[in-house]
Amino acid sequence: MKRYLKLSVLIGFALLVGSPYVLPAASSPKVDKLTSVDWWRSKVKSQITASAGKRYSGCVFGDSISSGLGNTLGQSNFNFAVGGMSSVSLLEQLKQLKAGNVQCQKAVIAIGTNDAMFSIGDTTFKNNLRQIVTLSRGLGASEITLIPAFYSTVEASHNPEVAGTLDRVDEISTLIRQVAAEQDVKLLNNELQPLFRDRSLKEELTFDGVHLNDSGKGIYRQVLLGIFNNSAVSSR
């Protein structure tokens, strides 16, 4: 009797596990783990090797949206952006660049787009961004410009594996504005608006809903060159 009872319990458990009504296990929070990845460490190390002891007119720090521009900003400027970066990994990158004696006269910080997708609290993000500004000044930057988080397309914003929600992008951008005012640094406002329609990235300027295609890159590149050449007016 006991054997039959035990068998019934096992069968019942198997049916329960296979049931479509069983709730799936909660997924782990998405966090930035780049600093523990070999390719990222190698990338930052190569950046230091290429730029140590040099003083650049302009430096760009950011994620894959900025890194997609490559080395197209002129020889006096350096694009330090790396795909997948958030405020967490940017903070560590800047620490290493400072230790490597990298110097920048102007710094553009385009971070927050991945933070909108990752699990990071508002206070932590703001603290990271404050330290990022401080480290940028430590690189010799006398002019720092923060760029709000980039919108994705509406469709991409519904996929948590590729982008943050549009509402979270707005929240991150609000935090960026607060830090810009608090730290007395410049904030880019309307210059990148041609990339967007309302609160989303224009479909015709992206190839995957998140990253810029050649037309989108052209707009973004001109904005960055304008900052470095002082032809773009940034405001707080």
Side-chain angles (χ1 to χ4, degrees), residues 133-144:
V133 170
T134 298
L135 285 167
S136 298
R137 288 176 171 141
L139 298 182
S142 57
E143 182 179 305
I144 299 172

Side-chain angles (χ1 to χ4, degrees), residues 98-179:
K98 187 175 186 299
N101 194 30
V102 175
Q103 300 177 51
C104 303
Q105 184 178 349
K106 299 179 182 180
V108 171
I109 300 170
I111 206 69
T113 302
N114 284 330
D115 290 271
M117 180 173 61
F118 293 157
S119 178
I120 186 169
D122 291 359
T123 299
T124 300
F125 176 76
K126 289 181 72 173
N127 285 338
N128 287 349
L129 194 53
R130 290 187 188 104
Q131 293 180 70
I132 287 168
V133 170
T134 298
L135 285 167
S136 298
R137 288 176 171 141
L139 298 182
S142 57
E143 182 179 305
I144 299 172
T145 302
L146 302 186
I147 294 181
F150 284 79
Y151 289 117
S152 65
T153 61
V154 173
E155 182 179 2
S157 73
H158 294 316
N159 184 349
E161 295 301 315
V162 299
T165 65
L166 300 182
D167 285 342
R168 185 54 179 163
V169 169
D170 279 340
E171 291 171 357
I172 290 292
S173 293
T174 295
L175 299 177
I176 292 172
R177 293 187 182 93
Q178 292 172 359
V179 173

Side-chain angles (χ1 to χ4, degrees), residues 59-63 65-67 69 73 79 81 85-87 90 106-116 125 129 132-133 136 143-151 168-181 185-196 212 216-217 219-228 232-236:
C59 296
V60 178
F61 303 102
D63 51 38
I65 295 175
S66 298
S67 69
L69 298 179
L73 299 173
N79 187 356
M85 295 265 280
S86 76
S87 64
L90 176 54
K106 299 179 182 180
V108 171
I109 300 170
I111 206 69
T113 302
N114 284 330
D115 290 271
F125 176 76
L129 194 53
I132 287 168
V133 170
S136 298
E143 182 179 305
I144 299 172
T145 302
L146 302 186
I147 294 181
F150 284 79
Y151 289 117
R168 185 54 179 163
V169 169
D170 279 340
E171 291 171 357
I172 290 292
S173 293
T174 295
L175 299 177
I176 292 172
R177 293 187 182 93
Q178 292 172 359
V179 173
V185 297
K186 295 184 177 181
L187 175 71
L188 204 68
N189 278 323
N190 300 319
E191 290 82 355
L192 284 174
Q193 194 54 43
L195 292 174
F196 310 118
L212 303 175
K217 290 176 185 177
I219 295 171
Y220 187 26
R221 182 183 297 109
Q222 289 306 309
V223 170
L224 292 179
L225 290 175
I227 294 173
F228 293 148
V233 178
S234 298
S235 58
R236 298 183 184 90

Side-chain angles (χ1 to χ4, degrees), residues 41 68 92 163 181:
R41 294 175 178 173
E92 181 59 31

